[in-house]
Amino acid sequence: MNFDALSYKLSPLQVEYSIRCIANAHSIAIITHQNPDGDAMGSSLAMRHFLQAIGKDNVTNIVPTSFPDFLSWLPGANSIIQCELQPEAATAALRDADLVICTDLGEPTRVAALSPILAERFNEYNANNPKLLIIDHHLSAIANEHPEQIAYPDSASASELVFRLAWQLSRHASIQDRDHVEEILDNTRDILETFSFPKALTPDFATCIYTGMMTDTGNFSYNSCQPEMYSIVAMLLTTGINKDAIYDRVFNAYSADRMRLMGYCLYHKMRLFPEYHTALITLNRREMYRFNAKSGDMEGIVNLPMQIKDVYYSIFMREDKIPTHQLTDANGAKVKTKISFRSQGNRPVNQLAREAFRGGGHMNASGGEYFGTVDEAAKKFVEEMPKYMQKT
Ligand code: 5GP
Ligand code: MN
């Protein structure tokens, strides 16, 4: 196997900064975004496996909200601190850690009730006293200002970036062209010696990275044309992981209720706006209750209408409780509506998500929210549609 098949995507500055972060930290907390998906879970758990493989023994994974059942088998998932279940433990782990690593996350706002504590860490940011490391593939304000942070919106997944960091750390060549590298190497020689592939390339690490890469590309069916992704997959497979079994555990894991919910959405709830090549599906709380819908059960419904010829935009809306930390923002609303936007090709949806629905995201996959019922949110969307959706 050729373990040299990648380019050095991360800059020397980023690699050095990561080394300084990791070398100086005794306790490390890894956090990812609320409603964690396969990439959030995969990238954050992989980071822990990597850190443990290089000798860091005080590493904690935190998730702000629950994760779906079809990800609960991931190696290490059983020891994650879930903030909704253990708010005090989550708060303490995040606040007291020497180093906080954010994977698939670049803004302190996307961690539900933990936002104020994470915001403190962002506000106190000081590259000379590294206590915060971001590894993300979203646009991130802090990463724009601080080039030592790792944020690449052109990467298909945060998991790929975690892999690249681990891989580059094992390749001293990627950090040798810096003036002060000798000094850093002197201070961190012990830890650098342990950054070795394939030692850190364990089956658990590989399973988590593969899961994140697979889920954020729809099993390598979109955002998946960069050749190096497949070099990474090839390296992961050398650990003996079974990628077909991972697919099976993630994608063939629906409950009967969830299958029926999908049928209901498509048959009864999908509205088509042919002029705008747009499909809209909405679900209220009563309907979700009827199908016993749990967190994660709604994942992927937004993608279904994209399989229709000539549908280029798909929007999925579902009602949600307003969490206590958002009550002051809610302006008296009784419920909020969570919205997913998807599009195909050169048809951005992030501007709509940002301007009309307090959200944002990638060009073809964004999200947002609306304080009000799903019917009110749908009405607003239909009003906004002509401004944002292309007719061709
Ligand atoms: P999903 O529809 O799967 O919940 O989210 C798709 C993408 O949209 C996420 O990967 C994330 O980049 C973005 N996103 C979702 N919800 C929000 C939100 O409330 N705010 C922002 N800024 N981005 C979001
Ligand atoms: Mn992601």
Side-chain angles (χ1 to χ4, degrees), residues 33-35 37 104 107 109-110 137-138 216 299-300 302 316 318 338-342 353-354 357-362 365-369:
H33 63 77
Q34 60 206 23
N35 306 319
D37 54 12
D104 206 22
E107 302 287 348
T109 49
R110 296 193 62 218
H137 68 136
H138 302 96
D216 260 21
E299 198 74 33
V302 65
F316 175 61
R318 65 216 177 264
K338 176 82 192 106
I339 309 168
S340 291
F341 302 89
R342 297 291 185 274
R354 194 173 56 245
F357 294 102
R358 306 161 44 94
H362 311 281
S366 298
E369 60 191 19

Side-chain angles (χ1 to χ4, degrees), residues 17-18 21-22 25-30 51 96-101 121 130-133:
Y17 177 75
S18 307
C21 282
I22 295 168
H26 173 60
S27 58
I28 302 176
I30 305 168
L51 292 170
D96 300 340
D98 297 333
L99 170 67
V100 170
I101 302 180
R121 193 60 71 163
K131 291 171 176 294
L132 176 66
L133 173 62

Side-chain angles (χ1 to χ4, degrees), residues 138-386:
H138 302 96
L139 288 172
S140 147
I142 194 165
N144 277 350
E145 245 177 83
H146 300 282
E148 65 277 10
Q149 296 293 351
I150 300 166
Y152 287 92
D154 65 334
S155 280
S157 63
S159 297
E160 175 185 327
L161 293 168
V162 169
F163 180 93
R164 285 179 177 278
L165 175 61
W167 181 83
Q168 277 189 237
L169 287 172
S170 73
R171 296 230 158 355
H172 299 187
S174 70
I175 48 173
Q176 268 168 10
D177 52 1
R178 303 285 305 180
D179 292 344
H180 54 289
V181 76
E182 277 310 314
E183 186 193 330
I184 290 174
L185 289 178
D186 275 345
N187 291 336
T188 57
R189 194 166 301 282
D190 289 350
I191 194 166
L192 270 173
E193 288 189 344
T194 62
F195 282 135
S196 71
F197 259 47
K199 186 178 161 208
L201 184 59
T202 61
D204 285 353
F205 173 80
T207 297
C208 295
I209 298 282
Y210 186 80
T211 301
M213 292 178 71
M214 177 188 80
T215 51
D216 260 21
T217 57
N219 196 33
F220 303 96
S221 63
Y222 48 80
N223 288 339
S224 57
C225 293
Q226 294 173 7
E228 291 200 353
M229 286 173 70
Y230 301 92
S231 299
I232 295 175
V233 170
M235 288 190 233
L236 297 175
L237 291 175
T238 64
T239 64
I241 60 165
N242 182 336
K243 73 184 241 332
D244 303 343
I246 294 175
Y247 176 94
D248 196 51
R249 291 180 115 161
V250 173
F251 290 118
N252 295 335
Y254 293 153
S255 62
D257 278 335
R258 145 81 204 220
M259 244 10 224
R260 293 201 167 89
L261 174 67
M262 251 158 71
Y264 175 76
C265 285
L266 292 175
Y267 189 67
H268 287 286
K269 301 301 310 252
M270 184 173 68
R271 286 166 72 185
L272 291 172
F273 303 88
E275 200 186 355
Y276 293 103
H277 305 281
T278 296
L280 170 65
I281 295 175
T282 59
L283 280 179
N284 62 34
R285 310 234 320 147
R286 215 175 43 250
E287 291 164 323
M288 288 186 279
Y289 184 75
R290 175 175 162 199
F291 289 95
N292 192 24
K294 290 191 290 290
S295 113
D297 280 353
M298 259 81 70
E299 198 74 33
I301 290 180
V302 65
N303 298 317
L304 298 174
M306 300 293 271
Q307 294 178 34
I308 303 170
K309 190 170 185 302
D310 295 334
V311 167
Y312 305 141
Y313 298 98
S314 175
I315 291 87
F316 175 61
M317 301 183 166
R318 65 216 177 264
E319 277 174 6
D320 212 345
K321 280 190 290 222
I322 300 180
T324 38
H325 72 278
Q326 281 193 325
L327 278 174
T328 44
D329 279 358
N331 247 336
K334 297 263 184 310
V335 288
K336 79 168 179 176
T337 295
K338 176 82 192 106
I339 309 168
S340 291
F341 302 89
R342 297 291 185 274
S343 65
Q344 234 177 50
N346 190 23
R347 297 179 186 82
V349 280
N350 42 3
Q351 195 189 352
L352 165 64
R354 194 173 56 245
E355 293 177 355
F357 294 102
R358 306 161 44 94
H362 311 281
M363 178 163 98
N364 297 129
S366 298
E369 60 191 19
Y370 178 87
F371 288 118
T373 65
V374 73
D375 290 338
E376 290 161 350
K379 183 164 173 288
K380 178 169 168 75
F381 169 72
V382 173
E383 284 163 13
E384 300 284 345
M385 184 166 54

